[in-house]
């Protein structure tokens, strides 16, 4: 099943074209990695998928992006519902300056979802369990989230999305602030989450892409050069530029 | 070569000592003022009991014998300040939120310039403007015998507290990390939810400090309140009655008192009371500003 289809997407920051005619298809409940050198437009592309670029002044887009069949670039799309469905994990873990509990309850509250104390407790527990934080934090739910370790913060940021039942999780270099062990554990978590969620991860770490993803897209200077299943991208790239990148000839 | 170095070292040494001297001098003068204030003010309590001074209900300093109770003045100051806070805090904080979060670039610049301009108006000028516009307006709207009331003073002082509150609260909001906002938006929060649930709480200590400093400014303000609050030293019953503040009392009476008289000492004792109030407010503001996140 295709969850997301991107067709001929262009994006300009003012006069600078950051995405050029990008097309790609993302399969449901799979992990897709976007790789490419720094500045090639990976983050920009990811932020199109939940319309976070709308916050930046002077951004224009053209083309189509269908998520569950709906063109999310159209004017009348409900951004709040979109962002509830398509959650985002940032490069620097950014838990809110609230307690662990309130971080997870935040989404439930802002979306006006019905809850009682018991159901909310249950949602918090389930979300923390899904990201394997429950055992560590069950006695520290009312501590400030800012006191957690970087890895715990990043897991909490993922849990925050699960609480509102996102079905797509966008991750923009989620491990770049973490050490190798933490990175490895987050990757395990991603494989676990794949059972229920469609995950798109931006990374400049090719080993990471090779380890966790099912499909991979390679971007260069705003273009999607090659998009295929991860195995063929890494063993038999069709484009010369892809080959040069994965053999380490670009920065 | 070595001569050059020793010369430079000497220069450094002299500059360093000069700066130290300036610092010590300023501390010295502050101490001097403080000691003078204490000496003159505390002299009152050789003849008047502290409780009679603070809680006495009448202030007739030139009757015989003088009655030196400053309760009406304390209440006058508190009432005017409280009124000013009620007006300026919500408007000031809302204005700060608007400038920090909502206003588009141009509007923001204009508003900030306007706020700075407001801060630059000398208080006597504001008082004068208040006297000719606000006072008659209050008189007419509430149908009073006089417009020189606590309310007029509060409104006037609110204008004076506003620039402090707005600019410091805006700074506090502005320094909330952008990543919180991004995280909230990415979860589907509306702008208002983000402001209300994240930005304001995250900036709360800075905003409280802004409020305290604004109030500190109001409590110490003299000229404008003296011009428009009516200056009657009775315990105020409503916002629509004339009041007299601590500051206005000192300003109005210092010229007519005999040095060394009880009245003279009482004015300094009022100075001590004002000093304590300002000190407490500033320390509180400082605590809020430097409060470590838990
Ligand atoms: N807010 C912005 N305004 C203008 N140009 C931007 C902005 N954000 C990114 N860019 C430019 O767009 C290009 C792609 O950036 P980005 O998507 O962040 O790349 P990546 O995530 O692959 O490193 C870069 O050349 C960058 O300078
Ligand atoms: Mg990036």
């Amino acid at each position: 099943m295709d969850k997301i289809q991107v067709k001929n997407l262009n994006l300009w920051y003012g006069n600078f074209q950051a995405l050029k005619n990008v097309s790609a298809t993302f399969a449901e409940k799979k992990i897709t990695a976007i790789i490419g050198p720094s500045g090639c437009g990976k983050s920009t592309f990811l932020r199109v998928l939940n319309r976070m670029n709308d916050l930046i002044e002077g951004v224009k887009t053209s083309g189509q992006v269908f998520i569950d069949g709906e063109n999310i670039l159209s004017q009348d799309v409900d951004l709040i519902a979109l962002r509830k469905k398509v959650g985002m994990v940032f490069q620097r873990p950014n838990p809110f300056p609230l307690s662990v509990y309130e971080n997870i309850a935040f989404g439930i509250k802002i979306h006006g979802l019905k809850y009682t104390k018991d159901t909310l407790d249950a949602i918090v527990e389930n979300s923390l369990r899904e990201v394997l934080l429950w055992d560590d934090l069950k006695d520290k739910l009312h501590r400030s989230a800012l006191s957690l370790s970087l890895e715990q913060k990043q897991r909490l940021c993922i849990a925050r999305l699960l609480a509102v039942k996102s079905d797509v999780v966008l991750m923009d270099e989620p491990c770049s602030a973490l050490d190798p062990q933490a990175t490895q554990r987050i990757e395990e978590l991603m494989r676990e989450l794949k059972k229920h969620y469609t995950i798109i991860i931006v990374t400049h770490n090719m080993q990471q892409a090779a380890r966790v993803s099912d499909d991979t897209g390679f971007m260069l200077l705003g273009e999607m050069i090659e998009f295929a299943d991860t195995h063929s991208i890494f063993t038999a790239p069709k484009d010369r530029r892809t080959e040069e990148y994965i053999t380490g000839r670009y920065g | 070569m070595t001569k050059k170095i020793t010369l430079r070292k000497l220069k450094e040494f002299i500059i360093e000592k000069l700066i130290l001297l300036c610092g010590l001098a300023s501390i010295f003068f502050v101490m001097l003022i403080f000691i003078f204030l204490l000496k003159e003010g505390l002299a009152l309590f050789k003849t008047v009991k502290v409780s009679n001074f603070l809680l006495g209900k009448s202030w007739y300093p030139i009757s015989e014998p003088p009655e030196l109770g400053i309760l009406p003045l304390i209440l006058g100051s508190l009432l005017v300040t409280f009124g000013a806070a009620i007006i300026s805090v919500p408007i000031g904080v809302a204005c700060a939120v608007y400038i920090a979060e909502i206003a588009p670039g141009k509007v923001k610049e204009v508003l900030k310039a306007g706020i700075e301009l407001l801060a630059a108006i000398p208080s006597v000028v504001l008082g004068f403007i208040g006297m000719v516009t606000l006072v008659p307006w209050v008189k007419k709207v509430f149908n009073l015998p006089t417009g020189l009331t606590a309310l007029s003073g509060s409104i006037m002082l609110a204008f004076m507290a506003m620039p402090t509150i707005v600019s410091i609260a805006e700074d506090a909001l502005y320094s909330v990390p952008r990543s919180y906002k991004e995280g909230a938006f990415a979860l589907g929060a509306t702008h208002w939810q983000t402001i209300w649930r994240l930005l304001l709480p995250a900036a709360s200590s800075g905003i409280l400090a802004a409020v305290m400093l604004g109030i500190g400014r109001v409590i110490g303000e003299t000229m404008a309140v003296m011009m428009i609050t009516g200056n009657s030293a009775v315990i105020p019953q409503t916002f629509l009655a004339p009041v007299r503040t601590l500051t206005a009392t000192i300003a109005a009476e210092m010229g007519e008192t005999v040095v060394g008289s009880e009245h003279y000492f009482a004015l300094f004792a009022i100075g001590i009371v004002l000093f304590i109030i300002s000190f407490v407010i500033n320390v509180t503001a400082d605590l809020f500003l430097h409060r470590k996140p838990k």
Side-chain angles (χ1 to χ4, degrees):
Chain A
M1 256 295 281
D2 292 341
K3 184 79 177 171
I4 304 175
Q5 280 177 300
V6 178
K7 289 184 180 163
N8 305 324
L9 174 67
N10 291 285
L11 182 143
W12 293 264
Y13 291 114
N15 291 324
F16 172 72
Q17 184 166 10
L19 296 177
K20 297 172 187 158
N21 217 23
V22 171
S23 295
T25 304
F26 298 88
E28 186 165 20
K29 297 186 183 161
K30 289 258 172 73
I31 299 177
T32 306
I34 309 284
I35 58 172
S38 176
C40 69
K42 304 181 296 293
S43 299
T44 302
F45 176 71
L46 207 62
R47 287 199 309 261
V48 169
L49 303 179
N50 63 351
R51 295 269 302 261
M52 283 294 278
N53 285 324
D54 285 26
L55 303 181
I56 301 169
E57 243 169 86
V59 170
K60 287 192 308 280
T61 48
S62 74
Q64 292 163 312
V65 176
F66 293 98
I67 298 184
D68 290 330
E70 185 192 9
N71 183 7
I72 60 145
L73 293 188
S74 84
Q75 281 301 313
D76 52 357
V77 79
D78 177 357
L79 285 185
I80 290 172
L82 171 68
R83 290 178 185 155
K84 177 165 173 272
K85 178 155 85 178
V86 183
M88 185 163 221
V89 177
F90 295 80
Q91 190 165 357
R92 291 237 119 233
N94 60 347
F96 302 133
L98 306 169
S99 67
V100 170
Y101 188 98
E102 286 300 328
N103 259 277
I104 296 178
F106 190 88
I108 309 283
K109 291 182 177 171
I110 58 164
H111 287 295
L113 304 178
K114 288 228 160 47
Y115 63 88
T116 62
K117 168 123 191 13
D118 288 344
T119 57
L120 196 57
D121 286 351
I123 291 171
V124 170
E125 177 172 346
N126 285 337
S127 307
L128 286 175
R129 276 191 194 285
E130 275 192 274
V131 297
L132 311 177
L133 271 183
W134 177 251
D135 292 328
D136 288 346
L137 295 187
K138 63 178 178 234
D139 302 319
K140 302 177 187 165
L141 293 178
H142 298 286
R143 278 248 194 114
S144 167
L146 302 185
S147 67
L148 303 180
S149 74
L150 270 177
E151 182 190 354
Q152 288 175 324
K153 281 181 185 169
Q154 198 61 300
R155 285 174 186 265
L156 183 67
C157 290
I158 298 172
R160 191 161 81 177
L161 306 178
L162 309 185
V164 293
K165 303 201 166 55
S166 297
D167 30 285
V168 179
V169 178
L170 309 175
M171 300 180 148
D172 193 349
E173 307 199 16
C175 301
S176 65
L178 305 181
D179 61 52
Q181 283 84 31
T183 300
Q184 201 185 351
R185 288 192 294 267
I186 295 275
E187 287 173 8
E188 276 162 31
L189 172 63
M190 290 172 62
R191 285 188 203 99
E192 200 54 40
L193 292 175
K194 179 169 94 165
K195 293 177 190 153
H196 306 286
Y197 306 90
T198 304
I199 298 176
I200 303 176
I201 176 176
V202 160
T203 173
H204 59 230
N205 175 338
M206 277 176 290
Q207 289 75 29
Q208 180 168 58
R211 283 192 301 264
V212 296
S213 69
D214 301 292
D215 293 332
T216 296
F218 169 62
M219 289 182 71
L220 191 61
L221 297 172
E223 288 178 74
M224 188 67 82
I225 303 294
E226 194 165 343
F227 194 98
D229 68 279
T230 301
H231 187 72
S232 27
I233 287 263
F234 281 93
T235 54
K238 294 207 173 60
D239 196 288
R240 186 180 44 81
R241 290 165 293 182
T242 315
E243 185 180 348
E244 282 175 354
Y245 182 72
I246 60 173
T247 53
R249 260 173 280 173
Y250 285 104
Chain B
M1 189 63 186
T2 44
K3 202 172 162 208
K4 223 172 168 184
I5 289 181
T6 42
L7 225 122
R8 192 188 294 162
K9 270 198 175 154
L10 186 71
K11 212 167 125 192
E12 292 269 315
F13 179 80
I14 293 177
I15 292 176
E16 214 172 85
K17 291 305 167 206
L18 270 177
I19 293 174
L20 181 68
L21 203 69
C22 293
L24 287 179
S26 64
I27 295 176
F28 177 71
F29 286 122
V30 168
M31 289 307 287
L32 216 59
I33 292 172
F34 185 62
I35 289 169
F36 186 76
L37 177 68
L38 278 185
K39 182 173 144 292
E40 301 292 88
L42 293 180
L44 177 73
F45 302 117
K46 284 185 203 137
T47 52
V48 180
K49 275 184 22 197
V50 177
S51 58
N52 289 351
F53 175 66
L54 289 177
L55 302 176
K57 293 197 181 84
S58 35
W59 175 259
Y60 297 118
I62 42 182
S63 66
E64 202 48 60
E67 289 188 53
L68 298 170
I70 62 166
L71 190 63
L73 313 179
I74 293 181
L75 291 179
S77 274
L78 290 183
L79 187 70
V80 171
T81 304
F82 177 72
I86 295 252
I87 300 168
S88 62
V89 170
I91 300 180
V93 173
C95 190
V97 168
Y98 182 75
I99 292 178
E101 276 299 309
I102 300 164
K106 273 250 172 61
V107 180
K108 183 188 261 180
E109 293 310 313
V110 171
L111 275 176
K112 284 177 91 161
I115 298 285
E116 250 152 59
L117 211 61
L118 187 57
I121 301 176
S123 77
V124 66
V125 175
L126 265 184
F128 193 32
I129 296 174
M131 203 160 79
V132 296
T133 57
L134 190 61
V135 169
W137 180 80
V138 168
K139 178 175 149 105
K140 202 169 122 221
V141 168
F142 296 98
N143 196 16
L144 300 170
T146 171
L148 298 168
T149 60
L151 178 67
S152 320
S154 293
I155 296 176
M156 204 69 253
L157 287 177
F159 276 104
M160 291 187 195
M162 213 90 85
T164 310
I165 296 181
V166 173
S167 60
I168 296 178
E170 194 233 321
D171 271 353
L173 284 166
Y174 196 74
S175 58
V176 174
R178 241 194 96 73
S179 62
Y180 298 161
K181 199 170 143 184
E182 274 189 334
F185 277 127
L187 262 181
T190 62
H191 199 164
W192 171 242
Q193 287 171 328
T194 308
I195 291 171
W196 183 248
R197 289 176 175 272
L198 277 184
L199 299 188
L200 284 176
S204 61
S205 53
I207 292 175
L208 280 171
V211 167
M212 295 309 281
L213 290 173
I215 290 177
R217 165 125 210 247
V218 165
I219 284 244
E221 173 50 39
T222 310
M223 249 357 257
V225 278
M226 193 158 85
M227 291 164 82
I228 64 174
T229 53
N231 294 317
S232 100
V234 291
I235 291 185
Q237 308 290 340
T238 78
F239 269 110
L240 299 175
V243 294
R244 169 187 279 214
T245 63
L246 294 164
T247 49
T249 306
I250 299 180
E253 296 176 9
M254 65 185 177
E256 60 194 45
T257 172
V258 181
V259 175
S261 67
E262 266 192 344
H263 185 196
Y264 170 87
F265 291 134
L267 293 185
F268 274 100
I270 292 178
I272 295 179
V273 172
L274 270 172
F275 172 80
I276 292 172
I277 295 175
S278 299
F279 185 74
V280 167
I281 289 177
N282 280 326
V283 167
T284 317
D286 222 47
L287 284 182
F288 282 131
L289 266 186
H290 298 128
R291 188 166 63 178
K292 291 238 160 57
K294 282 179 284 171

